[in-house]
Amino acid sequence: MVDRLKFLLHRTRERLWVRPLITGLLSVALVFLVKTADDHDIGWLVPAITQASTETLLAIISASMLVIAIFAVASMVAAYTSASSVATPRAFSLVIADDISQNALSTFIGAFIFSIVALVALQNNFYDRAGRFILFVITVLILAMVIITFVRWVDCIARLGRLGSTLEKLEAVTAAALRRRRRIPTLGGVPMGRQPHRGLAIYSGSIGYVQRIEITALQAHAEKAGLHIQVAALPGTFSAPDRALAYITLDPGAPLDFDPTPIVQAFVIGVHREFDEDPRFGLIVLSEIASRALSPAVNDPGTAIGIIGSFVRLLALWITPVESDERCIVECDRVTVPELSLHDMFDDAFIAIARDGAGTIEVACKLQKAFASLASLGDVAMREAATRHAGLALARSELALALPDDLEMIRRLAALALSDQPSLTEG
């Protein structure tokens, strides 16, 4: 339930209208809440505030906040457009979920609505002495909050949508997804291992990407119907009418007329892939940005080299041992789930860069150094994947590079990843 709420919360964060709506409703409620001060006999305790002074402040806020809110929306749209064009459209959901920008926009709109409603209430003598004083204090606090928010937001909007900021967000969200999958490698189910899928295939009528799997819902249905479920489509898999989501095997004596609908409903399918529970998607998006940077139109090998460094950090994180108190125990013994393939993650990360950067000597060198670093981490599967991709990258470079000295440099660096005891000279 907690994971499901987090998933829904992340989807809500990607909606720009949610926070301004909540802030606007709270602003209206605050205006009427101030009236409760007049219900208590505290008017003689507070100083007398003239109605004109509060009206002046509210008028200033109402006149300026709408302009600032429009300016904020225009700046945010420009930043979103920049992120989609400079990086990749797949990073749009991360940029739009920026907390500082959404909080700033919500503050500006909330202050505007508060000032309008409070000004109307004040001009209609809605408040007595205590209410006017409390309203004046709240108005001053809101004005101060707006100023602080605006100053902080200006610093943020200068970076929002820039390539460096987008890459930082992508690496952070991918690392978070990898950490979560390391703690729950089979999403709470039983490890599948290398056994092939068997049983009756369950298909979905929806076409899209698997965004989330409700493993507990599958377990509950399996216990009720007397069957075992093998998950065949992890988050990130493209679901089509001919692509099985799961396979089921019935317990001896279980009724044959079971309903597959609860199994299909446990797979949340949407139009787009999501970063939360799909670590491979983050690797793919980073690789897309690197491939774009290596295109002749952009010609920015430095960005590709920086992303290669991100891949080394992310893949090293993947094989970091998990503490016993962090690893999630298997709770769904009737659901079998395959683990992520490290070889697939290497393919997601490095194939496009090795292809597009094969003829760029600095990128090709950085790739071979990255493979040597990953091969030296002491993990067998990691070494196998790094060695395979070092050989592939070397073969591509041999086809793309013409200068013998460049080829000799690449071959020397590739030997570090292909040798039995790799070492690395970073540069």
Side-chain angles (χ1 to χ4, degrees):
M1 180 60 68
V2 174
D3 290 338
R4 184 175 184 179
L5 290 176
K6 288 182 179 179
F7 179 81
L8 295 176
L9 179 61
H10 289 164
R11 302 290 75 76
T12 303
R13 289 176 58 194
E14 298 171 4
R15 303 291 185 269
L16 277 179
W17 58 269
V18 174
R19 293 192 189 182
L21 175 62
I22 295 175
T23 307
L25 295 176
L26 292 177
S27 300
V28 175
L30 182 60
V31 171
F32 291 98
L33 185 62
V34 172
K35 178 61 178 177
T36 60
D38 293 325
D39 298 334
H40 301 80
D41 189 19
I42 61 173
W44 62 277
L45 294 175
V46 299
I49 300 296
T50 61
Q51 182 169 318
S53 60
T54 308
E55 288 181 358
T56 302
L57 282 177
L58 291 172
I60 293 173
I61 294 176
S62 63
S64 58
M65 283 304 99
L66 183 59
V67 176
I68 294 178
I70 294 175
F71 169 72
V73 171
S75 301
M76 292 167 66
V77 170
Y80 300 152
T81 304
S82 174
S84 297
S85 59
V86 175
T88 172
R90 262 65 63 188
F92 178 77
S93 60
L94 289 181
V95 181
I96 202 173
D98 180 71
D99 288 329
I100 297 179
S101 295
Q102 289 202 14
N103 289 338
L105 179 62
S106 302
T107 300
F108 301 151
I109 294 178
F112 172 73
I113 295 176
F114 171 83
S115 61
I116 292 295
V117 178
L119 189 60
V120 172
L122 192 63
Q123 290 179 345
N124 286 275
N125 299 320
F126 185 65
Y127 302 108
D128 294 330
R129 177 170 176 170
R132 286 195 298 270
F133 174 77
I134 298 298
L135 181 64
F136 177 80
V137 172
I138 292 177
T139 303
V140 172
L141 293 176
I142 288 178
L143 182 60
M145 182 178 64
V146 166
I147 294 173
I148 295 174
T149 301
F150 182 79
V151 172
R152 185 187 180 203
W153 173 74
V154 167
D155 179 72
C156 172
I157 202 64
R159 297 174 174 83
L160 186 65
R162 300 298 184 265
L163 182 59
S165 175
T166 303
L167 291 177
E168 290 177 1
K169 293 178 184 294
L170 277 170
E171 182 174 350
V173 73
T174 305
L178 288 171
R179 291 191 189 96
R180 184 182 184 280
R181 186 59 67 87
R182 281 173 55 242
R183 294 194 301 270
I184 317 175
T186 57
L187 305 177
V190 178
M192 184 173 178
R194 297 183 178 273
Q195 59 178 312
H197 294 294
R198 64 179 187 273
L200 178 64
I202 303 297
Y203 298 92
S204 171
S206 301
I207 299 177
Y209 291 97
V210 177
Q211 297 177 343
R212 174 176 169 78
I213 304 175
E214 300 286 353
I215 298 294
T216 54
L218 292 177
Q219 174 73 11
H221 181 68
E223 293 176 349
K224 180 180 179 181
L227 49 86
H228 285 77
I229 302 174
Q230 291 182 355
V231 172
L234 289 173
T237 303
F238 186 74
S239 172
D242 62 339
R243 180 68 162 85
L245 296 179
Y247 293 84
I248 64 168
T249 54
L250 298 174
D251 293 344
L256 299 178
D257 56 339
F258 69 95
D259 183 12
T261 303
I263 298 178
V264 176
Q265 292 177 344
F267 289 81
V268 180
I269 298 176
V271 178
H272 307 289
R273 297 178 72 169
E274 301 291 349
F275 294 97
D276 304 338
E277 303 189 23
D278 185 7
R280 291 180 58 186
F281 185 46
L283 299 175
I284 291 172
V285 175
L286 284 169
S287 181
E288 284 183 1
I289 297 175
S291 183
R292 182 188 184 94
L294 291 171
S295 65
V298 179
N299 191 22
D300 181 18
T303 294
I305 290 173
I307 291 175
I308 293 172
S310 298
F311 285 148
V312 174
R313 288 189 292 271
L314 292 170
L315 292 171
L317 172 65
W318 176 250
I319 64 170
T320 302
V322 181
E323 300 293 337
S324 57
D325 57 343
E326 293 182 344
R327 183 175 291 274
C328 180
I329 62 174
V330 175
E331 298 177 347
C332 304
D333 57 352
R334 285 182 170 267
V335 183
T336 304
V337 182
E339 297 187 26
L340 283 179
S341 169
L342 186 62
H343 287 274
D344 290 342
M345 296 169 67
F346 263 77
D347 291 344
D348 296 334
F350 293 113
I351 282 183
I353 300 179
R355 178 198 64 210
D356 298 330
T360 307
I361 183 62
E362 57 266 39
V363 176
C365 288
K366 184 64 178 181
L367 269 175
Q368 295 298 342
K369 292 178 181 181
F371 294 139
S373 294
L374 293 171
S376 67
L377 294 179
D379 184 84
V380 176
M382 181 74 75
R383 174 160 178 73
E384 291 177 355
T387 301
R388 171 175 170 266
H389 277 269
L392 291 174
L394 175 61
R396 291 187 173 95
S397 294
E398 287 178 338
L399 294 175
L401 293 173
L403 189 65
D405 290 346
D406 290 346
L407 287 172
E408 179 61 28
M409 183 185 303
I410 294 297
R411 289 168 181 155
R412 186 172 63 253
L413 291 173
L416 298 175
L418 297 172
S419 64
D420 293 334
Q421 294 181 343
S423 60
L424 178 66
T425 302
E426 186 60 61

